[in-house]
């Protein structure tokens, strides 16, 4: 087996099965995107519910409800974080008909795969969001409370936007993990990218060339995602400089901090 | 004298105590603020000044005692705390500007979300108060891009935009260098001239002596003296006050 042989095998595979590979990639990407988004929503919901402040002076019903809520979220996180996703897929997919004597079945494999991956992502995100909220300076909450904001207003307008920025790298992490780990959904027959590999080698027996196509395909998807996530982070951070809102060219500007634009700084470095 | 004033008492603190665990920080504080008062609270660090201020704004929940605002107890069950806080502004030592918003947005958010004003009205009010503290040119800046004194002036504008009945200052100049202290004190002096009711916890003795209409000296969670600045600084009655002031002015 030479390198030339590998290249020609790959070209042969791509010519015959290219559309099937691309279809698998599409199913992988779409499942990962939707599950990460829904997982983030679940995570934000759990994270916010877990950080509702609760003082000893609060009403006993509120305190009981909050502690029950926290216990439920905790159990959810521990169960889904503590078991393999491949097993969860089997458990959920076959469990529903089993417990209902086949009265209720999954309407499609997609629904089952979506449910498992989204709930799994949510379990990880719940802890990430909680950490993100805790990492924001308590002064931000006090500042918001001091102008009369309620807990929900404070969360939505002040804390969550800042927490979102600080957990963005972690959301990216989860997305990339999802891109790869949706591959275990072949166990319940979801035909994503890895499942196409199994289908193709079943017909061609070209194990290694097909695996090479898969490697390149997965790497391509994750690299593009990394790039887009970095770009999104920069966009959220905004410009390092700001415009003075004055028409007076003799405006007093002492005490003003101007951050040098990165590009300008780089040009300066080069000039030296 | 007292009788004449009872009509416009804004805040009435009575038998207020606050403890953190076994540590009693405020001990049976009685204290009241009338409309137009500029009260400066002085005393060494750890004397309970900031805790008193934070109790007034309910950022700390009092352990016992009562705080009346226009005669109604703010610690009573069912009292609308966010609405109360909207009427009682607070300026912090560490500014606490919202890091995810521009200077203008910082001053608008309370008007938009708490007062439910439309965008144009809120922006107009915010710009007016930013102009008042001399920060109008910086409306597009984020808090990380401006200096400490500028941040504090924006924080004052943010509190003023809510048009509070009383404004609480918690060591507003303690985190600033001398030049920035000057910027912020100038803004505060202008507010005093306009007749705003203020409670100022401060280490700026000159401000307490020359600008405020009343000075309160605290030590170990107790108010030792409460009176006109000329009296507290000129003829302190208690040895504790004398000691504290002599240490300050001997430097």
């Amino acid at each position: 087996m030479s390198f030339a042989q590998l290249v020609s095998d790959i070209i042969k595979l791509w010519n015959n099965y290219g559309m099937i590979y691309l279809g698998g990639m599409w199913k992988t990407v779409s499942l990962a995107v939707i599950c990460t988004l829904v997982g983030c929503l679940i995570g934000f919901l759990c994270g916010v519910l877990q950080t509702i402040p609760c003082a000893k002076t609060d009403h006993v019903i509120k305190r009981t409800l909050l502690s029950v809520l926290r216990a439920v979220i905790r159990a959810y996180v521990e169960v889904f974080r503590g078991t393999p996703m491949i097993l969860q897929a089997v458990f959920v997919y076959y469990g529903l008909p089993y417990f209902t004597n086949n009265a209720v079945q999954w309407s499609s494999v997609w629904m089952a795969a979506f449910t498992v991956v989204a709930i799994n992502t949510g379990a990880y995100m719940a802890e990430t969001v909680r950490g993100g909220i805790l990492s924001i300076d308590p002064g931000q909450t006090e500042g918001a409370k001091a102008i009369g904001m309620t807990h929900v207003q404070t969360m939505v307008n002040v804390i969550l936007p800042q927490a979102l920025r600080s957990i963005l790298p972690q959301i990216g992490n989860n997305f990339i993990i999802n891109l790869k780990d949706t591959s275990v959904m072949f166990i319940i027959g979801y035909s994503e990218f890895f499942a196409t590999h199994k289908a193709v080698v079943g017909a061609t027996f070209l194990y290694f060339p097909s695996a090479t196509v898969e490697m390149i395909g997965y790497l391509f998807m994750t690299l593009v995602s990394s790039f887009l996530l970095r770009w999104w982070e920069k966009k959220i951070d905004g410009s390092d400089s700001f415009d003075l809102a004055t028409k007076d060219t003799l405006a007093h500007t002492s005490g003003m901090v101007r951050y040098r634009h990165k590009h300008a700084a780089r040009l300066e470095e080069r000039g030296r | 004298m007292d009788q004449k004033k009872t009509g416009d008492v804004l805040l009435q603190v009575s038998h207020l105590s606050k403890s953190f665990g076994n540590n009693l920080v405020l001990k049976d504080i009685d204290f009241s603020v009338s409309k137009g008062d500029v009260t400066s609270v002085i005393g060494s660090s750890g004397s309970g000044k900031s805790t008193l201020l934070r109790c007034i704004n309910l950022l700390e929940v009092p352990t016992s005692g009562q705080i009346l605002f226009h005669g109604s107890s703010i610690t009573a069950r069912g009292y609308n705390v966010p609405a109360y806080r909207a009427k009682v502004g607070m300026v912090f030592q560490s500014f606490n500007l919202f890091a995810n918003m521009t200077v203008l947005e910082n001053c608008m958010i309370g008007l938009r979300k708490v007062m439910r004003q439309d965008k144009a009205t809120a922006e107009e009010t915010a710009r007016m108060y930013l102009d008042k503290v001399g920060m109008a040119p910086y409306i597009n800046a984020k808090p990380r891009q401006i200096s400490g004194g500028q941040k504090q002036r924006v924080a004052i504008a943010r509190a003023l935009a809510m048009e509070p009945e009383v404004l609480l200052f918690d060591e507003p100049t303690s985190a600033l260098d001398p030049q920035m202290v000057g910027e912020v004190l100038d803004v505060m002096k202008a507010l005093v001239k306009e007749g705003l009711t203020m409670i100022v916890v401060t280490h700026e003795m000159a401000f307490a002596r020359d600008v405020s209409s009343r000075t309160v000296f605290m030590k170990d969670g107790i108010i030792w003296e409460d009176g006109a600045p000329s009296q507290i600084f000129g003829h302190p009655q208690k040895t504790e006050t004398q000691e504290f002031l002599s240490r300050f002015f001997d430097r």
Side-chain angles (χ1 to χ4, degrees), chain B residues 225 227-239 241-242 245:
Chain B
E225 275 192 72
S230 58
Q231 187 219 319
I232 306 266
F233 287 92
H235 314 283
Q237 304 296 308
K238 299 269 170 43
T239 42
T241 322
Q242 289 163 1
L245 289 176

Side-chain angles (χ1 to χ4, degrees), chain B residues 13 28 30 42 44 64 66 104 113 119 128 132 139 146 191 217 227:
Chain B
V13 176
D28 200 31
D30 286 306
I42 59 171
S44 48
S64 66
Q66 220 180 18
L104 184 64
K113 303 292 169 183
K119 204 178 167 197
M128 185 180 88
K132 189 177 238 171
I139 50 170
I146 58 180
L191 296 178
F217 170 69

Side-chain angles (χ1 to χ4, degrees), chain A residues 55 57-59 137-151 153 156-159 161-162 236-246 251-259, chain B residues 54 57 59-61 77 81-83 85-86 88-90 92 94 96-101 106 109-110 113-114 116 127 136-142 144-147 150 158-159 162 179 183:
Chain A
T57 48
D58 281 333
H59 199 278
D137 171 21
Q140 296 284 312
T141 309
E142 291 190 350
K145 293 246 161 90
I147 56 172
M149 283 198 201
T150 60
H151 177 68
Q153 286 173 329
V156 172
N157 297 297
V158 179
I159 305 301
Q162 293 182 50
I236 285 190
D237 284 346
S239 170
D240 275 343
S241 57
F242 64 94
D243 294 324
L244 270 185
T246 175
H252 180 64
T253 55
S254 76
M256 175 185 145
V257 180
R258 267 261 195 200
Y259 283 78
Chain B
R54 292 167 61 82
N57 207 1
L59 287 176
E60 302 290 351
V61 181
R77 183 155 290 169
V81 175
R85 288 200 184 113
V88 178
M90 177 108 171
F92 300 88
S94 49
N96 295 348
L97 291 181
F98 306 133
N100 56 325
M101 300 177 201
N106 259 282
I109 188 80
K113 303 292 169 183
V114 180
R116 306 251 165 234
R127 278 175 185 273
Y138 298 88
I139 50 170
N140 297 321
K142 286 272 181 82
R144 66 182 152 97
Q145 294 166 325
I146 58 180
S147 73
Q150 292 175 326
R158 176 176 73 181
M162 302 297 289
Q179 190 202 333
E183 297 173 16

